Amino acid sequence: MVDFEFKPCYNVEDLRALVKALRSEGGCPWDREQTHESIRRDFIEEVCEAVEAINEGNTEHLREELGDVLFQVAFHAELEEEKGNYDLDSVADGVVKKLILRHPHVFGEVTVSGADEVLKNWDDIKRKEKSQSTAAEAMDSVARTLPALWRAEKVSKKAAKAGFDWEKPGDIADKLREELRELEAALSGEGDVFEEVGDILFTAANIARKLKIDPEEALNASTDKFIARFSKTEAAAIEAGRDLKELSPDEQNQLWERAKKSI
């Protein structure tokens, strides 16, 4: 058995001790084999589960999922400590110093008029920290591992801050129609279908940004709506003793339109 003190209540230091125990010679064979790369997906999944708990409004579920995220942070920090690079304290030190620097209105002499000015100062300070002299450099720094719609929205926000933007949502809708025409041409062999589909999605993300709608939330809501309508369509086919695949496009559409009226 590994050296670990059992208690009725644990804290962050105990979490660090537990991770070290798992990674020790007498610890868990699976944990000992893991690397940053091998548990990269686990990290993403734990964050997504925490977000799901927030969406549910379930405080206890969120507490559990935040613990799973914290374990991931502690585990990755331990991997670096074993290499002699840095530890969890160093990670905390770095983020505290960064947040102090980015909140001069709290920890310094800067005065702000409200949240909008806080965000502007944050962006200005961040660009100085990262030696970004142009808006293009700021765009390029947006993580490519973000969900694509969020990345598109974030990049287009940076373009808008640089003065490169449509005046109103209707102008972007015109652009979307233009992109749809280009897709139609590509489907006829007069262009790159992959590229045109991407342009449509990027333009749609811009419409969402302009309307202050989260594109990921909007798409997820539409996906949930599709599932609900499909479920009713499929159920209606089964009730009629038919397989959905056997129905003609017109018959499928009739059932779909009926489902739309109920949802």
Side-chain angles (χ1 to χ4, degrees), residues 135 139 155-167 206 209-210:
M139 289 179 196
V155 165
S156 63
K157 275 184 180 178
K158 292 185 182 298
K161 287 177 182 176
F164 192 79
D165 196 12
W166 286 273
E167 286 188 15
N206 266 281
R209 170 186 62 80
K210 201 71 172 174

Side-chain angles (χ1 to χ4, degrees), residues 108-153:
E109 303 301 322
V110 173
T111 301
V112 295
S113 58
D116 287 344
E117 196 171 352
V118 169
L119 293 177
K120 181 182 181 305
N121 289 345
W122 178 283
D123 284 341
D124 291 344
I125 293 167
K126 186 175 179 180
R127 284 181 62 168
K128 288 177 184 175
E129 284 176 6
K130 298 182 179 297
S131 301
Q132 296 167 352
S133 59
T134 67
E137 288 175 338
M139 289 179 196
D140 198 48
S141 71
V142 176
R144 286 166 173 77
T145 49
L146 274 175
L149 287 174
W150 276 347
R151 181 170 177 245
E153 178 196 41

